[in-house]
Amino acid sequence: MKKLFTTLLAALLALSLAGTALAAGKGTADEAVALVKKAGAYLKENGPEKAIVAINDPKGQFVKGDLYVFMLRTNGDGIALAHGQNAKIVGKNMLELHSAEGVYFVKDFIKLVNGPAGKGWVSYKWPDPLTKNIEEKSTYVERFGDYFLGVGIYK
């Protein structure tokens, strides 16, 4: 499991750096929420199959600067269905992925979206692909039927 985590982290960092190097700045909380809501509307209108294809497009409408949408099921299986920045994550179980301080943030996402509000923010520390430093990150997640979508920002 540790090897899988290390491999996923390395792939995430490499692709994140490539995808964000041209970004003019860091995305804001408002932009993250708006991108999740835009992807949620697309999911509702077009269904999960088309949404997965659209979200997985690194040059598509669900990637904006250093912001990108990801998609999982609310059933708790932890399988990434779509990821706008890292295709290597798609199809992988992300439940055991955790931050440097031991926050199992994917488990926290699932708990949050299955709670009464069905949406909210999860904060944890994660390597920033621009600075390469461990920094505070917050991810907004929201439930859309049997799926949830998320977008993270660095503070």
Side-chain angles (χ1 to χ4, degrees):
M1 185 56 69
K2 187 174 181 180
K3 185 176 180 181
L4 173 62
F5 173 76
T6 304
T7 302
L8 288 173
L9 180 58
L12 177 64
L13 289 175
L15 290 173
S16 294
L17 183 58
T20 60
L22 300 177
K26 293 182 179 181
T28 67
D30 289 342
E31 290 172 324
V33 171
L35 195 55
V36 166
K37 297 210 179 273
K38 178 181 177 181
Y42 187 95
L43 171 62
K44 286 180 181 178
E45 184 174 325
N46 296 285
E49 293 80 18
K50 286 185 178 180
I52 288 168
V53 171
I55 293 167
N56 277 329
D57 181 356
K59 296 181 192 270
Q61 62 181 316
F62 301 116
V63 177
K64 179 182 176 188
D66 70 336
L67 303 179
Y68 57 88
V69 176
F70 63 85
M71 178 178 173
L72 285 84
R73 289 183 193 88
T74 58
N75 67 3
D77 69 3
I79 305 297
L81 300 174
H83 195 286
Q85 195 175 55
N86 188 349
K88 292 182 180 183
I89 288 176
V90 175
K92 304 279 191 233
N93 184 321
M94 307 305 289
L95 285 177
E96 297 303 317
L97 192 60
H98 58 83
S99 67
E101 75 272 22
V103 174
Y104 288 82
F105 51 87
V106 176
K107 290 178 181 179
D108 288 348
F109 297 161
I110 293 167
K111 183 178 179 183
L112 184 60
V113 299
N114 285 317
K119 61 185 176 182
W121 290 90
V122 174
S123 293
Y124 51 98
K125 293 187 179 183
W126 197 250
D128 183 321
L130 295 176
T131 67
K132 300 188 181 183
N133 295 324
I134 301 289
E135 296 186 18
E136 191 67 30
K137 183 172 185 174
S138 287
T139 297
Y140 177 77
V141 291
E142 186 170 340
R143 181 182 187 131
F144 295 91
D146 294 334
Y147 305 93
F148 72 92
L149 304 170
V151 173
I153 60 168
Y154 287 93
K155 294 184 175 184

